[in-house]
Amino acid sequence: MKMESVINSTILSLACFPKSNPSIHHQKTVKARRTVCCSLSSSSSSKNSNSEGDANGLLKEEEEEKYNDIWLLFKEAQQNILYLNKLRLVAVEELNKANREKQLLLDKIQQLEAVNKLGNEQSLWRELLLRIDSMVLTGLIDSAEASGMRKAVMGNKFSVALVFFDIRQKTDAELLAQLRHFSVGSRKNGFHIIQICTEMEPLVSVGSLSSYVTGLSKALQKKGHIVEVILPKYACLDLTEMQGLREIEAELYSYFNGQLHGNRIWTGIVHGIGVTLIQPLYYSSFFDRERVYGYSDDFERFTYFSRASLDYIAKSGKQPDVLHIHNWETAIVGPLFWDIFVKQGLGGTRVLLTCHGFDSQCLEQPDKLALCGLDPARLHRPDRLQDHTMTHLVNILKGGLVYSNKVVMVQSIYSKERIINSFSHGLEPTLAIHKDKLLVSPCGFDNSTWDPSKDKFLPKNYSADDLKGKSICKVALQQQLGLSKNSSTVLVGCISTESLDFDLNNQKAVWNATPKSVQVCTCFWDLYFFEENTGLSAEYRRNSLLAGEMRVLKKVTRTVILNFPWQPHESFIFMGSKATSADGALEYLKKELKDETVRFINKYDEALLHLIFAGSDIILCQSFHDPLLQVPLKALKYGAAPVAVTSNENKFRHFVDREQETTRFSRFISSTFGYLSLSQAVDEIKNSPSKWKQKMVDAMAKDFSWNAECCDVHVSAYTALKSL
């Protein structure tokens, strides 16, 4: 503001300066000089007439030079004023930008404070449950009394916040006395679910499992269910968002390799979810490593963790309704539960296995089952853990399928039959036998973060009921990327984690076409460099979760923005990556396109990511099943049409199953966007704008978040388990 006032005063003072013509000043000066000359004597005038003429000439030249200099100074001043005014405008824009960022930050702080206020009340009773577990492990109370206390806490969740507000200041003995005076409430209406898993966002994230565990747990708790999560205490855990982290002052002993081994137990709260971390003491190296997966002793590591988790549940007196396990890493919980733990006070508990794919199964020598207390001879049978192809080995994922009461296959687009027949990776006989207990669930997304009606990153919010803000977001995106600002131009976004490439030979005609009716924004996000680890056997690499035993070297983030000529009747094609790394793919694109409208943004920009979803008319997807980034789900929420691209077809097309035994999401996609190629989508936008708008309004009104179909499928499975 100070600079602005100085500039304004300068402009005012200069504006008052007379913009005179030098010739006019010269005429006035001559007239004045003549008046002076009249007062002189005629004799003096005649004597000096010649010298006076010379003097007049000199004065005239001096006056002209003087006024010319003044005029030049004035012109320079004007240039300076224009420059300063330009600086002022830049400064004002920077100030406005800083104010917007400040307001965004303040809004986020207010939102976090509101969430924390609600979360503190919800996390209090969960922390109380964890303290009860601690009392059992330290011997203060027995399992029966602990069970009654848990019922009291879970049946009176709202009273807990009033009675136990100072829980963190109380010792276990003081808290126990208070708990014993707490009135026993009614039996909880919801389910008590314990998830035994290897990932959870934001503590540890490798693949789609982490967001699935957190998203589903939060959704279940919103509907009144109690969810706990048990994880290994990895050295690489990010504990910044864990509240109330504390170590239970008692060692938990678990069985492994013929002996009992001590473990340290840590508890805390993440997003209102009670989390227990198990840290081995004797086998401390199991989880004190750089990576989560990809070691030759992964079977031993996760078998130890699975057995320790069950020992912890049994010894703490927990009696959950459901043990929810995931993939092969914790599939061994199924056989362990039914062969060893069901008689340890867990007769009312059932087991549900989630499979995020069948490509990783873990084949091992049968004798290794004895490490966790299982009987190899009893389990190495065709109807139990024996592998169908390599019959001398046991298949750990198969054991989870056989010994679980229900199995949920996470797949957004394919039917149960299609998964069994085409994506079972050798498990088709087992899946066919246990077909009745198989369910299919889509993934979801976090609609508390991804919602255009309250997205703080957008210049204007909008919803299915009021779409005006979407056009504003589109123009803002075009302006930010330096594209031509036209809300009627079709804007296509693409967000991917893979190093995609283009078949440039087939598309040069597209790039060189004259009309520019389509703009394309392509974002390569969260890419990874991999290096093959050749120190492991081919057999182990076949069984590893990371196919090919890939080692993550470093994580990079890239955004590529493309705006190129487009011919609506032609197809734009993504081919399989020819580059060996993310940087290679980007350099390949940059070199081949040679277009000034290509932009590379080599940094992660969360605000831009949200704006791309909001400003795009179409979002290209690698598949409609995207459990990692959930791009199709977010696109629908933001009113952008998801169009899938396959790497083995010269067109944007991705057919989905139309069977009734598929997810609601699959049936919706197949009836709306599943048949569309990119060129067909562009044509429909251009030729039938009203119809297209209604289609997008209907899509935005659908709920495909974790709270919707994904949660419903699991609650249905839990309900069915209780009747078994």
Side-chain angles (χ1 to χ4, degrees):
M1 295 303 292
K2 288 183 179 180
M3 185 180 73
E4 190 174 349
S5 62
V6 170
I7 295 170
N8 289 335
S9 62
T10 305
I11 294 171
L12 182 62
S13 62
L14 286 170
C16 296
F17 192 90
K19 300 180 182 179
S20 303
N21 189 316
S23 62
I24 296 174
H25 281 284
H26 175 65
Q27 292 174 7
K28 291 181 179 179
T29 307
V30 172
K31 184 178 180 181
R33 192 163 59 245
R34 286 173 181 172
T35 304
V36 173
C37 291
C38 288
S39 63
L40 298 176
S41 62
S42 58
S43 60
S44 299
S45 182
S46 61
K47 290 179 181 179
N48 300 318
S49 58
N50 293 331
S51 61
E52 184 179 348
D54 294 339
N56 288 340
L58 290 173
L59 286 174
K60 181 178 179 181
E61 290 178 0
E62 289 176 359
E63 289 291 337
E64 288 180 351
E65 289 179 1
K66 177 180 177 181
Y67 287 107
N68 285 336
D69 291 341
I70 292 174
W71 184 247
L72 289 174
L73 287 174
F74 178 72
K75 290 175 69 176
E76 289 178 3
Q78 282 184 318
Q79 293 293 328
N80 290 334
I81 290 170
L82 292 174
Y83 177 72
L84 290 173
N85 192 48
K86 185 177 180 181
L87 290 180
R88 182 182 69 84
L89 293 174
V90 171
V92 170
E93 179 60 29
E94 290 293 330
L95 180 62
N96 291 335
K97 182 179 178 181
N99 287 334
R100 288 194 298 269
E101 292 175 351
K102 178 182 177 182
Q103 188 59 46
L104 181 64
L105 182 60
L106 290 174
D107 292 341
K108 196 167 186 177
I109 291 172
Q110 290 177 356
Q111 186 180 15
L112 288 174
E113 287 176 347
V115 171
N116 286 337
K117 183 178 180 181
L118 178 62
N120 288 337
E121 295 179 359
Q122 294 178 343
S123 64
L124 185 62
W125 60 270
R126 296 184 182 95
E127 186 172 349
L128 191 55
L129 292 176
L130 295 174
R131 292 288 294 273
I132 293 172
D133 298 343
S134 174
M135 293 176 192
V136 177
L137 293 175
T138 55
L140 280 178
I141 56 176
D142 58 23
S143 298
E145 186 175 7
S147 179
M149 289 180 178
R150 290 191 188 97
K151 291 179 181 179
V153 171
M154 290 187 290
N156 297 273
K157 291 185 288 187
F158 297 104
S159 302
V160 164
L162 299 175
V163 178
F164 298 97
F165 61 91
D166 57 348
I167 179 176
R168 292 176 185 173
Q169 281 73 46
K170 291 183 179 294
T171 64
D172 282 352
E174 293 171 335
L175 185 59
L176 176 59
Q178 194 173 9
L179 275 168
R180 283 172 172 164
H181 286 87
F182 188 65
S183 59
V184 178
S186 59
R187 179 71 167 93
K188 65 184 187 303
N189 295 323
F191 296 109
H192 180 196
I193 303 122
I194 296 180
Q195 300 212 49
I196 303 175
C197 52
T198 55
E199 297 180 41
M200 180 189 184
E201 195 177 60
L203 299 180
V204 54
S205 300
V206 178
S208 60
L209 175 61
S210 61
S211 59
Y212 169 87
V213 169
T214 304
L216 178 61
S217 297
K218 290 168 65 176
L220 289 168
Q221 291 195 151
K222 286 180 181 178
K223 297 189 177 183
H225 306 286
I226 310 298
V227 184
E228 298 180 61
V229 174
I230 302 178
L231 286 167
K233 193 175 188 299
Y234 301 106
C236 58
L237 283 178
D238 181 359
L239 300 174
T240 54
E241 293 191 42
M242 177 174 269
Q243 299 175 336
L245 179 63
R246 62 189 295 270
E247 181 184 359
I248 294 179
E249 297 178 359
E251 283 188 7
L252 166 75
Y253 288 89
S254 61
Y255 178 88
F256 192 76
N257 198 16
Q259 298 181 41
L260 293 175
H261 300 282
N263 302 276
R264 297 173 69 184
I265 305 298
W266 302 77
T267 60
I269 307 294
V270 177
H271 295 312
I273 305 161
V275 178
T276 299
L277 306 174
I278 295 179
Q279 181 181 14
L281 296 178
Y282 182 77
Y283 290 98
S284 58
S285 65
F286 274 176
F287 303 109
D288 190 18
R289 305 180 185 183
E290 292 182 2
R291 308 191 308 275
V292 174
Y293 309 118
Y295 297 97
S296 59
D297 61 346
D298 275 359
F299 170 78
E300 289 83 354
R301 297 170 65 225
F302 295 115
T303 298
Y304 180 97
F305 165 69
S306 297
R307 173 69 196 238
S309 298
L310 288 170
D311 280 319
Y312 166 72
I313 290 169
K315 292 175 183 177
S316 61
K318 294 178 181 289
Q319 295 178 328
D321 297 304
V322 180
L323 292 177
H324 192 155
I325 58 180
H326 305 268
N327 298 329
W328 79 258
E329 286 82 3
T330 54
I332 200 71
V333 167
L336 279 170
F337 176 80
W338 289 110
D339 283 7
I340 299 174
F341 285 91
V342 69
K343 297 178 181 178
Q344 298 185 26
L346 295 171
T349 300
R350 297 294 179 264
V351 181
L352 182 142
L353 168 67
T354 292
C355 291
H356 295 258
F358 296 110
D359 54 331
S360 182
Q361 301 172 17
C362 187
L363 307 185
E364 280 294 347
Q365 296 294 333
D367 291 346
K368 283 193 174 184
L369 295 175
L371 289 172
C372 60
L374 292 172
D375 182 358
R378 173 180 164 81
L379 297 176
H380 189 211
R381 292 166 40 177
D383 61 336
R384 296 185 183 177
L385 272 68
Q386 185 180 41
D387 188 64
H388 294 294
T389 304
M390 305 181 72
T391 56
H392 64 289
L393 300 176
V394 289
N395 187 316
I396 304 306
L397 184 59
K398 178 185 174 183
L401 293 170
V402 172
Y403 278 86
S404 295
N405 300 103
K406 286 287 182 182
V407 177
V408 174
M409 302 178 293
V410 180
Q411 172 56 247
S412 296
I413 58 176
Y414 294 130
S415 65
K416 183 195 299 187
E417 289 291 342
R418 180 79 178 276
I419 296 170
I420 294 174
N421 296 330
S422 304
F423 302 100
S424 57
H425 294 272
L427 287 171
E428 183 178 351
T430 300
L431 293 173
I433 292 171
H434 297 275
K435 181 179 177 180
D436 290 343
K437 66 182 183 184
L438 302 181
L439 298 169
V440 180
S441 171
C443 59
F445 73 101
D446 184 2
N447 62 355
S448 66
T449 302
W450 294 94
D451 184 349
S453 67
K454 52 186 178 183
D455 192 328
K456 298 298 182 180
F457 291 109
L458 303 184
K460 179 71 174 178
N461 294 120
Y462 62 95
S463 65
D465 298 325
D466 183 4
L467 287 173
K468 293 178 182 177
K470 185 165 179 65
S471 298
I472 296 174
C473 292
K474 184 175 185 177
V475 172
L477 176 61
Q478 291 170 326
Q479 181 177 2
Q480 184 169 339
L481 301 180
L483 304 174
S484 59
K485 292 182 287 184
N486 188 345
S487 61
S488 64
T489 301
V490 178
L491 187 59
V492 181
C494 178
I495 298 161
S496 175
T497 58
E498 300 177 8
S499 348
L500 297 178
D501 211 337
F502 299 91
D503 184 354
L504 294 174
N505 292 327
N506 292 339
Q507 286 301 307
K508 283 189 176 180
V510 174
W511 272 283
N512 294 326
T514 52
K516 294 190 176 183
S517 59
V518 175
Q519 296 169 332
V520 178
C521 306
T522 305
C523 302
F524 294 92
W525 230 275
D526 295 332
L527 302 177
Y528 291 85
F529 286 104
F530 292 96
E531 180 181 90
E532 218 174 310
N533 185 341
T534 56
L536 299 174
S537 67
E539 180 180 337
Y540 179 76
R541 291 202 298 271
R542 172 181 177 266
N543 300 330
S544 172
L545 175 71
L546 299 176
E549 185 55 30
M550 307 301 277
R551 180 163 67 89
V552 178
L553 294 181
K554 62 179 179 177
K555 182 177 181 180
V556 296
T557 54
R558 296 288 188 270
T559 306
V560 185
I561 307 302
L562 305 178
N563 174 30
F564 52 84
W566 182 259
Q567 194 70 272
H569 63 269
E570 297 186 54
S571 296
F572 174 68
I573 304 169
F574 284 97
M575 299 296 289
S577 176
K578 299 176 184 176
T580 57
S581 70
D583 278 343
L586 297 180
E587 287 302 317
Y588 178 74
L589 288 174
K590 192 173 183 179
K591 193 177 296 184
E592 290 294 326
L593 294 181
K594 296 178 182 177
D595 194 316
E596 293 181 356
T597 59
V598 179
R599 291 147 177 84
F600 294 85
I601 303 174
N602 297 321
K603 64 177 181 179
Y604 178 75
D605 191 333
E606 186 177 359
L608 178 59
L609 184 60
H610 283 246
L611 189 58
I612 289 173
F613 275 106
S616 298
D617 298 293
I618 297 170
I619 294 288
L620 298 180
C621 315
Q622 289 304 289
S623 170
F624 289 125
H625 176 60
D626 181 8
L628 187 60
L629 291 183
Q630 305 108 29
V631 168
L633 306 179
K634 295 171 183 175
L636 290 172
K637 187 65 178 177
Y638 280 70
V643 174
V645 54
T646 57
S647 60
N648 60 348
E649 294 180 357
N650 290 334
K651 56 185 176 180
F652 286 102
R653 191 67 62 89
H654 189 96
F655 295 103
V656 296
D657 283 346
R658 300 176 184 272
E659 300 178 25
Q660 287 302 309
E661 206 172 0
T662 56
T663 63
R664 294 197 298 268
F665 171 76
S666 178
R667 294 193 293 273
F668 174 78
I669 284 293
S670 66
S671 64
T672 52
F673 305 104
Y675 66 91
L676 286 177
S677 67
L678 178 58
S679 58
Q680 288 173 327
V682 171
D683 287 344
E684 192 168 330
I685 293 174
K686 295 283 188 180
N687 300 328
S688 306
S690 299
K691 180 181 176 182
W692 182 266
K693 180 179 178 181
Q694 186 57 50
K695 182 184 289 189
M696 297 318 307
V697 167
D698 293 342
M700 291 179 67
K702 300 288 184 182
D703 185 3
F704 295 116
S705 69
W706 296 113
N707 303 324
E709 186 176 8
C710 180
C711 184
D712 294 342
V713 169
H714 286 82
V715 171
S716 175
Y718 300 151
T719 303
L721 289 177
K722 293 304 293 181
S723 63
L724 297 177

